[in-house]
Amino acid sequence: MGPKAVVSEGDLFRHPLREQINLKHPLVRLTDLINWDGLNASMSASFVSRKGRPATSPRLIAGLLYLQHAFDLSDEEVVWQWVENPYWQVFTGETFLQTEPPIDPSSLTRWRKRLGEAGVEELLAETIEAAKRAGVIKASSAKRVIVDTTVMQKAVAHPTDSRLLERCREHLVKAAARHGLKLRQNYNREAPHLARQIGRYAHAKQYKRMKKALRTLRSRVGRVMRDVERQLDSVADTGRIALQELISRTRRILSQKQKDKNKLYALHAPEVECLAKGKARTPYEFGVKVSITTTHKEGLVVGARSMPGNPYDGHTLAEALEQAAILSDVKPDVAIVDRGYKGIAVEGVKIYHPGLRRGITRGLRAMIQRRSAIEPAIGHMKADGKLDRNWLKGALGDAIHAVLCGAGHNLRIILRKLRLFYALVLIAWLSRSITVDFQA
């Protein structure tokens, strides 16, 4: 069942929260800038059944997702800090002070799945509108954008052959025990010892011994896999599909070579890709490519989308500009990109990149030089936000996480503008009071 309309009722024994807090606080002012009714309507549209328990308030979920990505918190941390912070409770629509968690943290997982990528894009679009109301950007700011790509790393361990093989064996042995399959041998003592020895041989640069131990470990994992595969017919239909998928991934890990393409880098996350961005400190990163679109002057995020398959940067430009036009209601006229987008043309959009000579005036050159302004924006999204590591599952989790990271970055920009305005007002008031006292 969809969420019920919240009816505010008076309480003779409690004071409303807004009568006890500072109404000039940036978070309170941000609350008044967001169109919560529009978010409620868009988030409630996914509920088609009228049966069951009424859903949680969409404003509460939207507020918690905003706070989580604005302040880089986990699901558990954002719920428990909500209990301790009255300003957060006002932000999510509470009238009176609450002393208990509003939801179980796992509810955020189910809401993210229900919203999907289109639902969280509504949250990002609303932050763009709030930035316009706060005066952070103008309506025409989205006509000039900067587009760049980065890597959003997945929360997986660094993939090595020995670790992947040992993880496959562990999962196969556990699955066999769960389904009542009797294995000839599970190698619970030998296989972990071999995995440790492979790491030690590699560290000591004894590659001949390392390769021999790796062949032995691969043969042990293959034996366990074939033993489980022979007994598949005795497994119930409910668990057979999952077990077949595990065997398929194990066979894929057993057969893949060093130079192969489309390798499996994590047993639980087959969507993870290996990306090389040319960084000296991190030659290879494991995750998914993400395209970020910001306004040229203010650096506000008007588009963020995951690009699975590690496509060429230029092939992602049209999709990134289309998303920016939909979310900001303004079609970009000018896109500033780096040299990785050379040779790409998008209808109706002028594309500039460093290295252009013909027809480049002094003003255009200054505009192109500002392309690097997107780099610190991406850095802040990773350092201050959650873009550096994605804990959400699957390709859908990648898409949702990228969009929410953009929304969190926009909220931090708006809050910084509101704090600065409040500080300037306070300084003006203090200077005026000091002048009056001095004249008296």
Side-chain angles (χ1 to χ4, degrees), residues 131-166:
K132 293 178 183 177
R133 300 184 194 110
V136 176
I137 63 171
K138 300 178 181 178
S140 60
S141 296
K143 291 186 177 181
R144 287 185 181 178
V145 296
I146 306 174
V147 185
D148 199 7
T149 60
T150 187
V151 178
M152 181 174 66
Q153 296 191 60
K154 198 79 166 183
V156 297
H158 186 80
T160 61
D161 288 338
S162 58
R163 180 181 284 119
L164 287 172
L165 289 169
E166 172 58 14

Side-chain angles (χ1 to χ4, degrees), residues 263-424:
K263 294 171 69 175
L264 193 63
Y265 297 102
L267 186 64
H268 69 283
E271 71 278 0
V272 172
E273 301 158 359
C274 179
L275 300 110
K277 297 288 282 186
K279 302 175 185 176
R281 63 187 183 279
T282 49
Y284 301 102
E285 296 173 286
F286 299 93
V288 67
K289 180 178 284 189
V290 173
S291 177
I292 306 293
T293 308
T294 66
T295 57
H296 181 264
K297 184 178 179 181
E298 302 87 359
L300 192 87
V301 176
V302 293
R305 174 164 289 179
S306 63
M307 301 291 178
N310 190 16
Y312 164 61
D313 283 0
H315 295 163
T316 67
L317 184 58
E319 192 174 346
L321 294 176
E322 181 186 10
Q323 184 195 33
I326 293 172
L327 296 184
S328 62
D329 289 331
V330 177
K331 184 179 179 181
D333 295 334
V334 177
I336 312 298
V337 296
D338 59 17
R339 295 174 190 264
Y341 292 81
K342 288 176 67 174
I344 297 299
V346 179
E347 185 178 357
V349 182
K350 295 181 180 179
I351 301 171
Y352 297 103
H353 59 79
L356 291 176
R357 295 288 182 268
R358 183 177 298 176
I360 300 301
T361 62
R362 183 177 298 178
L364 284 176
R365 187 177 296 110
M367 186 172 65
I368 294 171
Q369 286 176 348
R370 188 167 168 74
R371 186 217 68 83
S372 59
I374 196 173
E375 303 294 347
I378 293 174
H380 281 297
M381 291 174 71
K382 291 188 175 183
D384 302 334
K386 299 174 72 66
L387 191 65
D388 59 331
R389 201 163 180 82
N390 175 24
W391 294 84
L392 304 186
K393 185 179 179 182
L396 177 61
D398 293 336
I400 291 173
H401 192 75
V403 176
L404 287 175
C405 287
H409 180 72
N410 290 350
L411 290 182
R412 288 191 294 272
I413 292 178
I414 299 171
L415 288 173
R416 185 165 63 244
K417 172 70 180 291
L418 296 176
R419 287 192 199 101
L420 180 62
F421 177 78
Y422 182 60
L424 292 175

Side-chain angles (χ1 to χ4, degrees), residues 87-259:
Y87 290 97
W88 286 20
Q89 296 186 18
V90 170
F91 184 74
T92 55
E94 292 294 336
T95 305
F96 302 102
L97 182 67
Q98 304 297 320
T99 57
E100 295 293 332
I103 56 171
D104 189 87
S106 61
S107 296
L108 291 176
T109 302
R110 288 184 280 274
W111 266 95
R112 279 190 292 261
K113 290 180 180 179
R114 177 177 289 276
L115 292 175
E117 185 178 7
V120 294
E121 280 183 345
E122 294 287 343
L123 298 179
L124 177 56
E126 186 53 40
T127 62
I128 299 171
E129 295 300 318
K132 293 178 183 177
R133 300 184 194 110
V136 176
I137 63 171
K138 300 178 181 178
S140 60
S141 296
K143 291 186 177 181
R144 287 185 181 178
V145 296
I146 306 174
V147 185
D148 199 7
T149 60
T150 187
V151 178
M152 181 174 66
Q153 296 191 60
K154 198 79 166 183
V156 297
H158 186 80
T160 61
D161 288 338
S162 58
R163 180 181 284 119
L164 287 172
L165 289 169
E166 172 58 14
R167 186 55 59 88
C168 288
R169 188 201 62 82
E170 289 177 354
H171 279 72
L172 286 169
V173 170
K174 289 179 181 178
R178 187 166 57 250
H179 294 292
L181 307 181
K182 188 174 181 180
L183 298 177
R184 296 177 179 177
Q185 200 167 354
N186 54 30
Y187 301 102
N188 280 341
R189 295 182 62 185
E190 183 183 1
H193 173 72
L194 284 170
R196 288 191 298 268
Q197 283 298 108
I198 290 168
R200 291 168 184 166
Y201 288 146
H203 180 71
K205 298 185 178 179
Q206 298 178 7
Y207 297 120
K208 209 168 186 179
R209 292 177 176 175
M210 182 199 75
K211 290 178 181 177
K212 182 180 178 182
L214 188 59
R215 284 196 301 270
T216 306
L217 179 59
R218 186 174 275 113
S219 68
R220 301 297 184 265
V221 176
R223 287 180 185 177
V224 175
M225 182 196 71
R226 290 188 294 273
D227 199 356
V228 173
E229 193 174 17
R230 281 191 292 268
Q231 304 179 58
L232 263 179
D233 294 337
S234 60
V235 178
D237 295 339
T238 54
R240 187 179 302 168
I241 297 175
L243 193 54
Q244 286 176 339
E245 178 66 22
L246 176 59
I247 291 173
S248 174
R249 293 182 186 180
T250 303
R251 182 177 285 109
R252 186 175 164 188
I253 289 174
L254 283 169
S255 62
Q256 63 190 13
K257 304 296 181 184
Q258 184 178 6
K259 300 295 183 180

